[in-house]
Amino acid sequence: MAEILDGTNVSEEIIHELKEYFSDKKTKLATILVGNNYSSEVYVNMKKRKCEELGIDFELIRFTENAGEEAVINKINSLNLDSNVKGILVQLPLPKMMNTKKILNSINPKKDIDGLTAENLGLLIMGEERIISCTAKGIIRLMEKYNISLKGKKAVIINNSFLVGRPLCQLLLNKGATVTICHELTKNLKEHTLSADIVISAAGIPFLIKEDMIKSGSVIIDVGITKKEGKLTGDVDFDRAKNRCSYITPVPGGVGPMTIAMLIENLRIINERTP
Ligand code: GUN
C-alpha cells in the first residue's frame, strides 16, 4: 500500500513560516481574471482566501471575455508601474481570441509571480531557477519533503503546457531525472508510464492512469482536477493505483494546496528582491 503524499500537511508547514514572514509587511498581489471559467473562479478564490489569511492585499481585476487584449495589457502596464503591487498574476486559460503569450509577456518579469514570462521561463531552461511556475515547483517540493530521490530516475509527465509540463520537465532535468513528456499525439501512453519511476499526470482526464499502467513501486503524482458528479476527481484511479505504487498524491489534498503555498512563496521571493 502506497504512502500518501500529503500536500495539505506539507503546504500548511510552508504557509505557517510564510505567515510569520508576511506578518509585518505590506504586500499586494494583483490578479487578473478574464471571462467566466468555473475552474478559474475556484482557483482564484482559493488564492484570495490564502492571501487574506496571511494579511496580503489581494486585488482582483475582472474583464469580460470580449474586453479585448489591449484593455488587459493596458491594465498590466499600469500594475507594472504601481510600486504597491509586488506580484501580478493572470489566471489561465484566457479566452481563445486573446493572445496569451502577448498578455503574459506584458508583465514585468520582476513581478511575474507565476514565472510564465519568456524571461523567467528562459532562465529556467538555462538552469537558473528564479521565479518558477507554482504547480511545477510545488510537485518538486512535495517529493523532496518525502525524500524521494530524482537522480537518474525515469520521469513521465503527461502535460505539454508551459504552465505545468514544460517547467516541470526542466526542474526534473535539473535534479538529474530522465524526462519524457507525453501529450495528445503520444502513441501507447501505457508503454511510457509502465517503465516510469515517477508518473506525473496533468491531463484533466479522470481515470486516465489505471493500475495496469503503473510500474510496481513507482511514484504517482496526480495534478488533474475534474468535477465529476459533484466530486473532484484526479487523472488517476487512486483506489486501485495505491496498491501498486510506493507513493501517491490524493485529489484533493495533493498538488493543489502545494500550488497555493508556492504562489505565496514566490511572492516572498519577489518581496525580498524589491522590499
Ligand atoms: N490556471 C490553472 N492553474 C494556474 C496557475 O497556477 N496559474 C495561473 N496563472 N493560471 C492557472
Side-chain angles (χ1 to χ4, degrees):
M1 182 86 145
E3 185 171 349
I4 304 292
L5 296 170
D6 187 343
T8 304
N9 229 333
V10 175
S11 69
E12 270 168 14
E13 269 176 40
I14 297 167
I15 291 287
H16 182 75
E17 271 184 38
L18 289 166
K19 206 175 210 164
E20 225 172 87
Y21 172 80
F22 282 108
S23 64
D24 60 353
K25 287 172 194 68
K26 211 172 143 30
T27 311
K28 184 168 174 177
L29 171 64
T31 296
I32 293 182
L33 180 57
V34 186
N36 42 20
N37 178 303
Y38 172 78
S39 304
S40 292
E41 290 280 346
V42 174
Y43 291 137
V44 166
N45 215 6
M46 290 195 293
K47 292 171 187 176
K48 179 172 185 276
R49 278 210 310 265
K50 196 50 80 182
C51 281
E52 286 172 356
E53 187 189 314
L54 272 72
I56 296 163
D57 193 2
F58 186 94
E59 185 188 355
L60 177 61
I61 303 131
R62 287 178 181 271
F63 288 93
T64 58
E65 199 171 86
N66 41 26
E69 214 164 273
E70 288 312 311
V72 178
I73 291 173
N74 285 341
K75 184 65 200 179
I76 291 173
N77 285 337
S78 72
L79 295 169
N80 283 338
L81 296 171
D82 184 343
S83 60
N84 289 321
V85 174
K86 290 289 163 79
I88 303 171
L89 186 157
V90 174
Q91 187 65 26
L92 300 179
L94 288 168
K96 283 197 175 60
M97 56 276 213
M98 286 191 180
N99 184 334
T100 300
K101 279 181 226 157
K102 191 173 165 197
I103 291 175
L104 288 173
N105 282 315
S106 70
I107 301 173
N108 175 349
K110 294 192 169 58
K111 295 190 178 188
D112 171 24
I113 187 96
D114 263 330
L116 298 178
T117 54
E119 180 172 318
N120 284 320
L121 281 170
L123 284 167
L124 176 59
I125 287 179
M126 295 175 101
E128 191 177 325
E129 300 179 9
R130 210 180 278 180
I131 303 178
I132 305 162
S133 156
C134 307
T135 303
K137 194 173 158 181
I139 291 167
I140 299 288
R141 186 67 64 80
L142 188 57
M143 286 195 280
E144 276 176 354
K145 197 72 199 173
Y146 285 82
N147 296 317
I148 296 168
S149 162
L150 299 170
K151 259 191 211 137
K153 296 288 169 62
K154 179 174 175 179
V156 165
I157 304 169
I158 305 157
N159 184 289
N160 190 18
S161 71
F162 64 79
L163 176 65
V164 180
R166 293 178 189 214
L168 181 58
C169 174
Q170 292 304 321
L171 288 177
L172 287 165
L173 284 172
N174 292 351
K175 301 257 176 234
T178 302
V179 192
T180 302
I181 289 195
C182 297
H183 46 77
E184 289 89 345
L185 299 178
T186 299
K187 294 195 180 86
N188 207 345
L189 179 64
K190 184 174 173 179
E191 210 171 84
H192 291 283
T193 58
L194 254 184
S195 65
D197 302 306
I198 303 159
V199 174
I200 302 157
S201 185
I205 304 169
F207 297 98
L208 175 70
I209 308 298
K210 299 181 182 67
E211 188 184 4
D212 67 352
M213 293 169 75
I214 293 170
K215 184 167 104 171
S216 174
S218 59
V219 177
I220 306 294
I221 311 283
D222 192 348
V223 193
I225 301 185
T226 310
K227 203 167 183 198
K228 206 171 170 234
E229 289 150 19
K231 207 175 133 225
L232 290 180
T233 311
D235 287 356
V236 179
D237 182 358
F238 180 89
D239 288 337
R240 291 171 199 270
K242 70 177 190 303
N243 300 321
R244 201 162 164 74
C245 56
S246 58
Y247 293 94
I248 190 165
T249 58
V251 175
V255 176
M258 291 301 296
T259 298
I260 309 265
M262 293 301 104
L263 177 81
I264 312 285
E265 189 178 275
N266 279 353
L267 193 58
R268 175 183 179 157
I269 293 170
I270 291 176
N271 209 66
E272 280 175 340
R273 275 196 210 121
T274 49

